[in-house]
Amino acid sequence: MTPLSPATVAWYRARGERWLREHAAVTWERPSRGLHVFGLGVAVRIAGPRGEGFAAARNAVTDLLQRLDVASTAVRPLIFAGASFDPGAPHRDPLWDVFGGWQVLLPAITIIREGDRWSGIACAGDFPLPQEAPASPAGEADRETLAGAIAEAVREIRAGRYEKVVLAGSRSAPLGGVTPADVLARLAAAFPTCCVFSFRAGGSTWLGASPEPLAGVSAGRVELVSLAGSRRRGASPDLDRQLELDLLGSPKERWEHRLVVEAILREAGELVSGLHVPPEPSVMKLANIQHLYTPITGRLAPGAGLLDLVERLHPTPAVGGWPRPAALDAIRRLEGMDRGWYAGPIGWVDPAGDGEFVVGLRTALLSSGAARLYAGAGIVDDSTPHAELDEIESKLDALRGVIAR
């Protein structure tokens, strides 16, 4: 692998970000931080079957890192990985077959923009032509069916079977000529504080604007986040503030948020030292929703790495529930759909061990002229189907607005 010359980087820069998004096999953008990564072509793509998950992807990344010769390169290559939410899920939507249970991708060329600074690195590889994606099958759960699943989950929680479960729904929306590059540009503009990502397989593109980091590592420093508990945004500053105060004062939302914090501390405790947790959550405000937010920091323990953290933490109670085994069982029984990579881990790692993974939220799967949108809500003992369905629809509306604009 070889760093790209300034002239070559300038050639790609002149193509523009829309061109880079259009031709990329994978993208990773943090607009508020000035970070934009475009992975073009494929040097290495490794995929696993639907019955495997992130544990298998972790092994593939580890093996690939050991085989890379990066000693002489100033620009480090980034290895991207994504995985399904639950490899043991009973439902199988053919739309997800091209992604499999997990994939690891090393781009042939990676272009990185950090503020005004552009750089790039090349690996041996090719630039395959896009393939046709399978037609999107029917099978969305309607509002009434999802309401019934939520009501049943509340009954099971009150019976003591588990404490929380996250149930999700999906909706289809026509693209009407809108391309993945268009959607990515709109997501970056609408949600600059989120991680805007895309991952292409065959003729399908999985993309989103995730507000929820799963784990990040930079020079041994670990960043984790609890993001659970939500309210919609208000139509006026006064109403928005009222909703914020209601969120901060809600025992239900505070309990749900604390459950995620405690799970992160329990799961990460053996891998991270010097964990620091603020005593109270703050509020993260996005374009259409606001969440209770607690950042958690520390240092990697000797022998631990980013991939260890991701494997240990996924799925957090924020996207699965608690206790984890009982919540996953409830999702498999009640949700009635194939989540695929929705709410699964997606991110990158470099040979130094630095990297970032997020939870695949606020997402859509684009193929064959249509988008399949996904969103969920956390169900606890005092949840009501009406309120939780409204939360799911609010999250879906954010994506609908971007696609249909």
Side-chain angles (χ1 to χ4, degrees):
M1 55 192 65
T2 308
L4 298 180
S5 69
T8 302
V9 172
W11 186 90
Y12 282 105
R13 179 177 182 176
R15 306 281 75 76
E17 290 184 357
R18 190 190 187 289
W19 185 93
L20 291 167
R21 293 184 182 112
E22 182 179 356
H23 290 83
V26 63
T27 64
W28 191 267
E29 301 184 71
R30 286 287 198 174
S32 63
R33 303 179 188 176
L35 175 64
H36 304 265
V37 180
F38 308 99
L40 307 170
V42 177
V44 177
R45 186 193 294 266
I46 312 168
R50 299 292 299 275
E52 295 180 352
F54 186 78
R58 176 189 181 280
N59 293 335
V61 172
T62 300
D63 179 68
L64 182 56
L65 285 170
Q66 293 173 347
R67 293 188 283 116
L68 290 179
D69 179 14
V70 296
S72 61
T73 62
V75 180
R76 295 196 293 258
L78 308 183
I79 298 175
F80 294 87
S84 63
F85 172 79
D86 176 17
H91 303 285
R92 287 289 184 267
D93 185 339
L95 199 63
W96 285 106
D97 286 348
V98 293
F99 287 86
W102 58 271
Q103 289 199 26
V104 171
L105 177 64
L106 175 65
I109 290 178
T110 302
I111 302 296
I112 302 172
R113 174 191 162 199
E114 298 174 278
D116 293 330
R117 180 177 177 271
W118 291 68
S119 60
I121 189 169
C123 306
D126 58 10
F127 295 84
L129 295 174
Q131 304 170 24
E132 286 297 319
S136 175
E140 300 175 6
D142 60 25
R143 186 179 176 94
E144 183 177 347
T145 302
L146 189 53
I150 293 171
E152 177 59 26
V154 171
R155 285 191 288 269
E156 292 181 356
I157 290 169
R158 291 174 179 173
R161 296 181 62 173
Y162 42 90
E163 296 179 63
K164 175 190 174 182
V165 65
V166 179
L167 295 179
S170 68
R171 301 288 184 272
S172 289
L175 289 174
V178 175
T179 68
D182 296 328
V183 177
L184 288 170
R186 294 173 183 179
L187 288 173
F191 303 103
T193 60
C194 292
C195 174
V196 179
F197 66 86
S198 69
F199 200 107
R200 182 175 295 173
S204 298
T205 302
W206 172 239
L207 53 75
S210 176
E212 187 164 342
L214 184 57
V217 172
S218 179
R221 184 176 186 272
V222 175
E223 294 184 357
L224 308 169
V225 167
S226 171
L227 199 69
S230 62
R231 287 291 186 275
R232 62 182 175 85
R233 296 298 304 272
S236 67
D238 287 344
L239 179 56
D240 196 60
R241 176 59 175 165
Q242 180 182 336
L243 289 166
E244 177 185 344
L245 293 175
D246 181 59
L247 174 60
L248 286 167
S250 167
K252 169 188 177 294
E253 305 294 353
R254 294 290 291 260
W255 178 86
E256 185 178 342
H257 183 82
R258 188 63 197 176
L259 187 67
V260 178
V261 172
E262 292 175 353
I264 290 174
L265 296 179
R266 181 166 48 248
E267 297 298 331
E270 297 178 5
L271 303 175
V272 182
S273 61
L275 283 165
H276 172 72
V277 185
E280 295 289 330
S282 56
V283 174
M284 174 187 287
K285 292 179 179 285
L286 302 175
N288 68 312
I289 200 166
Q290 45 192 327
H291 297 284
L292 290 177
Y293 165 75
T294 296
I296 302 169
T297 58
R299 302 287 302 181
L300 275 178
L306 172 60
L307 300 177
D308 302 313
L309 275 172
V310 174
E311 185 177 1
R312 183 74 65 87
L313 292 171
H314 173 73
T316 71
V319 295
W322 194 259
R324 185 183 289 171
L328 287 176
D329 174 70
I331 291 170
R332 292 166 181 170
R333 289 185 293 103
L334 300 177
E335 203 167 70
M337 72 170 189
D338 183 3
R339 286 193 180 192
W341 285 25
Y342 166 71
I346 186 165
W348 60 271
V349 64
D350 71 14
D354 292 346
E356 178 183 26
F357 277 77
V358 301
V359 181
L361 301 177
R362 313 298 190 268
T363 49
L365 180 58
L366 276 56
S367 62
S368 300
R372 177 73 64 81
L373 317 178
Y374 296 82
I379 314 303
V380 294
D381 62 356
D382 58 350
S383 292
T384 64
H386 177 76
E388 303 301 346
L389 286 171
D390 283 351
E391 178 179 334
I392 291 172
E393 291 298 331
S394 176
K395 294 172 180 176
L396 291 169
D397 282 343
L399 287 169
R400 287 192 191 102
V402 168
I403 290 172
R405 193 172 63 193

